[in-house]
């Protein structure tokens, strides 16, 4: 067996390539000919399967240490397929801080089709145990339900967005298994380079491959990896029948992205760490959310079976400073949602990624109006830090100007200039 970095570059051997091409071919064919009416060919129709997609699906299964992989047209298509294995009446426990699109898919689609979702702080193991067992009475949208049966699944993200709380796959999966529930992990922010959740007890891993795996902001894609054959068959059914499959050319985009995953992630983490340390001592910054700057960083890594904290971080500006001025004056960081690509992106969660969350709900999970999220790329850290520095200077000028005007106003109001 080859090791991880070699697997990133080569995947599993391709046996149908007689040309010497070093890359697996992209099969632009929606249909595949039968040799005769009596034969059943390996491939017949591209939605059901094709060799380009098969290469990527086998590769992600290999990288995540699963038995079977599936490629979808987006992360949400992948999550939709996974959730479709549940039935009306099933209860699913969901981590409190999940991706907004996932939250909406659960709450506004599946909940209306009879599946019950309950949001729980997945770092509170007693609360999680009570919720999975059916003893607790908390629901996704605050309504109270009478519960009797154990949950069918626990769904969570390893690093939460945008506050970068760390969820312990091992402990959460153990609680799920105690009551016969499966553990479903969104590994988008972490990638198999930093953690393989299936090794830690998870049953299903999902990815928005749009982010780190593809890594170049040029494709939307989703991946699922499973261990269990029966779950695999159900997810294959959903893939083939809903048909939200990833097209061959885009499977190749993800494959090519995966080849440089480790190199990109190393630089992104190094840059994120440098930026987090810079922000920590900046006078306009109130708080920094990045596990890499915690004093117990080594312990957090070891305890959670992580090999790093990835390239996303967030911070709050001090009161009175407008985070919008910081963001509008960045030149290297682009003002955009998404993450995990080679270029650095910055955004204001309350107005961009998390604007759909009701304000009270948003504040409850710690996403304040002052919170800025950075998705760090592979540029020179010094350029990124200088970019932030000059944007903070602009924000400080705006702050002083604003306060001078306020002072003038209060002096006028109190009759000093009368
Ligand atoms: C982006 C994202 C998704 C959704 O993936 P798409 O490819 O945009 O459909 C799901 N989970 C997480 C954590 C994400 O960041």
């Amino acid at each position: 067996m080859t090791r991880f970095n070699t697997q990133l570059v080569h995947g599993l051997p391709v046996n149908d390539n007689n040309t010497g091409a070093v890359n697996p071919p992209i099969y632009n064919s929606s249909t595949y000919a039968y040799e005769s009416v009596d034969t059943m060919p390996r491939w017949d129709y591209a939605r059901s399967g094709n060799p380009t997609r098969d290469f990527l699906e086998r590769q992600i299964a290999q990288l995540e240490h699963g038995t079977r992989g599936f490629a979808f047209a987006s992360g949400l298509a992948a999550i939709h397929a996974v959730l479709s294995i549940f039935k009306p009446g099933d209860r699913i426990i969901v981590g409190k801080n999940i991706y907004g699109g996932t939250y909406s898919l659960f709450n506004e689609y599946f909940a209306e089709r009879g599946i019950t979702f309950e949001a729980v702080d997945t770092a509170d193991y007693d609360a999680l145990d009570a919720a999975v067992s059916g003893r607790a009475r908390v629901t996704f949208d605050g309504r109270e339900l009478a519960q009797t049966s154990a949950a069918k699944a626990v769904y969570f993200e390893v690093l939460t967005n945008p506050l970068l709380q760390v969820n312990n796959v091992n402990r959460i999966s153990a609680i799920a298994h105690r009551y016969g529930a499966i553990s479903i992990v969104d590994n988008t922010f972490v990638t198999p380079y930093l953690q393989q959740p299936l090794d830690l007890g998870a049953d299903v891993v999902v990815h928005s491959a749009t982010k780190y795996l593809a890594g170049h902001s040029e494709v939307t894609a989703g991946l699922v990896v499973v261990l269990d054959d029966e779950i695999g068959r159900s997810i294959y059914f959903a893939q083939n029948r809903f048909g939200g499959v990833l097209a061959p050319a885009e499977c190749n985009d993800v494959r090519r992205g995966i080849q440089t995953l480790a190199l990109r992630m190393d630089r992104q983490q190094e840059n994120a760490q440098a930026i987090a340390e810079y922000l920590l001592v900046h006078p306009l910054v109130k708080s920094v959310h990045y596990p890499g700057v915690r004093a117990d960083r080594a312990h957090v890594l070891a305890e959670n079976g992580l090999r790093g904290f990835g390239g996303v971080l967030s911070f709050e500006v001090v009161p009175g400073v407008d985070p919008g001025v910081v963001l509008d004056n960045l030149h290297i960081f682009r003002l955009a949602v998404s993450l995990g690509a080679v270029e650095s992106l910055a955004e204001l969660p309350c107005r961009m990624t998390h604007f759909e969350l009701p304000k009270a709900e948003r504040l409850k999970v710690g996403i304040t109006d002052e919170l800025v999220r950075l998705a760090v790329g592979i540029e020179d850290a010094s350029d990124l830090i200088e970019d932030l520095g000059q944007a903070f200077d602009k924000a400080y000028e705006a702050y002083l100007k604003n306060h001078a005007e306020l002072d003038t106003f209060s002096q006028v109001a109190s009759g000093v200039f009368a």
Side-chain angles (χ1 to χ4, degrees), residues 34-178:
Y34 288 55
E35 246 168 54
S36 71
V37 289
D38 296 331
T39 57
M40 187 58 206
R42 169 69 182 87
W43 312 109
D44 65 342
Y45 187 63
R47 168 168 39 73
S48 305
N50 64 77
T52 313
R53 196 174 87 210
D54 184 63
F55 181 89
L56 175 64
E57 292 179 334
R58 288 191 301 136
Q59 186 179 26
I60 193 63
Q62 178 188 44
L63 296 173
E64 285 286 10
H65 297 174
T67 56
R68 193 164 175 190
F70 304 90
F72 294 87
S74 70
L76 278 186
I79 295 165
H80 175 230
V82 171
L83 266 285
S84 78
I85 73 177
F86 298 100
K87 296 191 171 61
D90 287 351
R91 285 196 313 119
I92 297 179
I93 307 304
V94 179
K96 259 212 158 83
N97 231 333
I98 58 166
Y99 179 72
T102 308
Y103 179 92
S104 156
L105 176 67
F106 291 0
N107 210 22
E108 296 173 58
Y109 180 83
F110 281 109
E112 293 186 355
R113 283 153 185 81
I115 296 174
T116 309
F117 296 93
E118 289 164 45
V120 169
D121 178 358
T122 37
D124 180 344
Y125 302 123
D126 291 335
L128 181 64
D129 187 291
V132 178
S133 72
R135 297 193 306 275
R137 285 166 171 271
V138 217
T139 68
F140 206 51
D141 55 5
R143 272 176 306 171
E144 197 171 283
L145 283 181
Q147 292 156 15
T148 46
S149 58
K152 288 288 196 296
V154 178
Y155 182 104
F156 63 101
E157 297 170 8
V158 184
L159 291 175
T160 66
N161 172 27
L163 293 169
L164 283 300
Q165 281 147 9
V166 184
N167 273 320
N168 189 306
V169 176
N170 204 347
R171 297 203 57 177
I172 295 169
S173 302
I175 293 169
H177 293 162
R178 196 175 293 159

Side-chain angles (χ1 to χ4, degrees), residues 197-312:
L198 299 179
D199 288 350
L200 299 170
D203 299 283
V204 178
V205 168
V206 300
H207 277 282
S208 170
T210 311
K211 317 292 168 52
Y212 284 105
L213 295 178
H216 294 75
S217 301
E218 60 184 10
V219 61
T220 67
L223 295 168
V224 176
V225 181
V226 302
L227 276 173
D228 178 74
D229 289 345
E230 202 183 314
I231 296 174
R233 275 193 296 276
S234 304
I235 290 173
Y236 177 69
F237 178 88
Q239 183 190 39
N240 193 26
R241 290 296 166 249
F242 299 155
V245 294
L246 192 63
E250 285 159 13
C251 288
N252 188 62
D253 290 340
V254 177
R255 178 199 66 78
R256 187 177 50 207
I258 284 175
Q259 290 186 301
T260 55
L261 172 67
L263 297 176
R264 287 183 283 109
M265 190 58 107
D266 282 344
R267 172 69 65 78
Q268 283 161 319
Q269 295 194 126
E270 204 180 290
N271 285 354
Q273 183 71 30
I275 290 168
E277 285 169 12
Y278 163 77
L279 292 170
L280 214 51
V281 294
H282 196 288
L284 296 197
V285 174
K286 190 176 115 190
S287 61
V288 178
H289 305 280
Y290 187 65
V293 294
R294 287 170 54 159
D296 61 347
R297 144 197 181 103
H299 172 75
V300 177
L301 286 173
E303 193 186 18
N304 290 283
L306 281 165
R307 292 180 286 268
F309 297 117
V312 178

